[in-house]
Amino acid sequence: MENLYAYPWRGRGNNCHTYLFANVLRGERPHVLIDPGHVVNELGEHCLGFLLNQMSLDRIRPEEVGLILNTHSHPDHCQANKAIVERSCGEGGIGRALIALSGEEDEFRRVHGVGMLGLTADFEPDFYLQEGELSLGQGEKKLTLQVFHTPGHTPGSLCFYWPKNKVLFTGDVLFYGGVGRTDLPGGNGKELRRSIQRLSELDVEYILPGHSTEFGDLIRGRDKVRENFAFLRMNYFPLL
């Protein structure tokens, strides 16, 4: 819808789903990318290569990415940040894609270090995202997202809500029939429960999560969304 592209991961190993808003920003780098994922995962699968191939089928080039939004700092969501930035650099190193995540999450990764399955992510954010409205672009191309601080999986996890089309990007906060892990460093079950409850109060017709489960990947339709939140309350809230 309206230049929103979804690129679910289909490999065997760990990697996240990536989402892209096309033709939002001004200039030579108009695209906004959410969670570029791994470069290479624990099984040696070339996750970034898979993503770039899928993008090319939509005639979208990594050189045209102007902004990367990270839901959190686990490497299966942000390891490819630096590679995307390097591809976006203009001639003579003038101009490049910018990287953003929450300040809480950046502090968490700097103090504790974030690694999973022996893999890490090396990048430096250009600015921090705070809870509230994020307006990108101008005129007919303007994109307005609501940024929610949703701790629990990690201390600085973010979710993005696109009210115009009632789309919720949940990262690893919640999935189709599942929730993010809380047994990793920085995890907190009570905070995750509060974050999910808060998101459930939004008017949502599409949930775009960070990973697939046995139930599926993207959740389409208001009724399906409500059923999913009810399932999480019944089956996961008592455990968090």
Side-chain angles (χ1 to χ4, degrees):
M1 61 177 74
E2 297 188 21
N3 296 330
L4 171 60
Y5 295 84
Y7 300 108
W9 169 243
R10 302 303 189 196
R12 295 180 297 113
N14 187 37
N15 192 41
C16 74
H17 301 333
T18 297
Y19 304 100
L20 183 143
F21 286 101
N23 301 313
V24 172
L25 309 174
R26 292 180 296 175
E28 298 178 351
R29 302 170 187 83
H31 308 321
V32 178
L33 197 64
I34 299 177
D35 286 354
H38 268 309
V39 176
V40 177
N41 67 11
E42 78 284 2
L43 297 184
E45 295 174 298
H46 292 270
C47 306
L48 178 58
F50 172 84
L51 172 62
L52 298 184
N53 180 66
Q54 295 300 304
M55 289 169 56
S56 70
L57 297 178
D58 292 319
R59 299 183 180 181
I60 296 174
R61 302 167 58 237
E63 292 84 357
E64 299 170 340
V65 173
L67 176 62
I68 301 171
L69 303 178
N70 290 135
T71 60
H72 62 292
S73 61
H74 284 157
D76 58 328
H77 287 254
C78 64
Q79 188 186 57
N81 281 356
K82 190 173 181 179
I84 295 291
V85 168
E86 290 173 348
R87 287 174 176 267
S88 72
C89 287
E91 294 184 7
I94 300 176
R96 61 174 179 80
L98 302 179
I99 301 171
L101 77 168
S102 73
E104 295 91 340
E105 189 69 5
D106 194 39
E107 181 180 1
F108 165 66
R109 77 183 186 98
R110 291 178 187 279
V111 172
H112 298 282
V114 177
M116 294 180 66
L117 303 175
L119 302 172
T120 58
D122 176 25
F123 68 93
E124 290 296 325
D126 294 284
F127 63 94
Y128 295 140
L129 296 169
Q130 295 182 337
E131 179 157 320
E133 187 173 279
L134 176 64
S135 293
L136 303 170
Q138 293 181 338
E140 295 181 356
K141 296 181 179 180
K142 184 177 180 179
L143 171 67
T144 300
L145 300 175
Q146 292 180 4
V147 180
F148 288 89
H149 178 217
T150 49
H153 179 61
T154 64
S157 287
L158 299 177
C159 290
F160 304 105
Y161 177 56
W162 188 20
K164 181 178 180 180
N165 286 298
K166 301 177 181 179
V167 179
L168 180 63
F169 303 86
T170 61
D172 282 4
V173 173
L174 66 95
F175 313 115
Y176 199 149
V179 302
R181 294 175 60 177
T182 59
D183 60 325
L184 300 172
N188 185 300
K190 291 182 179 179
E191 288 189 341
L192 184 63
R193 184 173 59 198
R194 284 194 293 266
S195 294
I196 294 172
Q197 177 60 35
R198 189 177 178 211
L199 295 175
S200 72
E201 298 168 1
L202 297 172
D203 183 11
V204 178
E205 294 186 2
Y206 300 88
I207 289 181
L208 277 57
H211 298 275
S212 300
T213 67
E214 60 184 298
F215 300 101
D217 40 42
L218 315 183
I219 305 176
R220 302 172 175 87
R222 183 180 281 107
D223 289 343
K224 290 289 186 181
V225 168
R226 290 175 177 172
E227 289 173 4
N228 194 68
F229 277 118
F231 179 86
L232 300 184
R233 289 192 196 96
M234 180 178 295
N235 293 279
Y236 284 94
F237 278 22
L239 305 176
L240 295 175

